[in-house]
Amino acid sequence: SRINDLSWNDAGLLAVAFADGNVTIVDLAYLQSGRAVNEMNYNWQRQGITCFTEIRNNKKDVSMISVQWMPSTDNGRNILALGSTIGFEIIDLSARNVLQSL
């Protein structure tokens, strides 16, 4: 599917808006460490491949037009704004740290 928009936030989350109506969020925080990937342990190398969230739109003929992380605040919230051909959504992904420990 065609990529319509990309947005990267301060926490290392990359959001990708696709023309097919889906949004994928990939955790690329390891790239902000300043170290080469081959110098990191296997868990960090694997993170970019396995740590992602996909938001699917079940309606036909809907395209995600834009995706934008809201500006970071001191409380570290990860708020994502999604714009599609049928409207917009605001999603709070701040609890992702809880999910990482499972």
Side-chain angles (χ1 to χ4, degrees), residues 32-53:
Q32 296 175 323
S33 72
R35 295 174 51 200
V37 173
N38 64 353
E39 295 175 0
M40 298 179 184
N41 68 35
Y42 177 73
N43 289 335
W44 275 100
Q45 292 176 26
R46 205 177 61 139
Q47 178 180 354
I49 300 169
T50 61
C51 294
F52 70 93
T53 300

Side-chain angles (χ1 to χ4, degrees), residues 12-68:
L13 297 176
L14 175 67
V16 184
F18 291 97
D20 66 2
N22 296 329
V23 173
T24 298
I25 298 132
V26 184
D27 187 346
L28 298 176
Y30 71 95
L31 294 175
Q32 296 175 323
S33 72
R35 295 174 51 200
V37 173
N38 64 353
E39 295 175 0
M40 298 179 184
N41 68 35
Y42 177 73
N43 289 335
W44 275 100
Q45 292 176 26
R46 205 177 61 139
Q47 178 180 354
I49 300 169
T50 61
C51 294
F52 70 93
T53 300
E54 187 170 64
I55 301 166
R56 293 182 175 265
N57 190 328
N58 294 330
K59 295 180 181 176
K60 295 185 186 249
D61 301 324
V62 173
S63 179
M64 285 297 173
I65 299 169
S66 65
V67 61
Q68 183 65 49

Side-chain angles (χ1 to χ4, degrees), residues 7-9 13-16 23-25 55 66-70 77-83 89-94:
S7 182
W8 187 312
N9 76 356
L13 297 176
L14 175 67
V16 184
V23 173
T24 298
I25 298 132
I55 301 166
S66 65
V67 61
Q68 183 65 49
W69 292 102
M70 303 305 280
R77 302 206 53 126
N78 293 304
I79 309 292
L80 184 64
L82 307 173
E89 296 178 53
I90 306 292
I91 300 172
D92 187 349
L93 296 167
S94 300

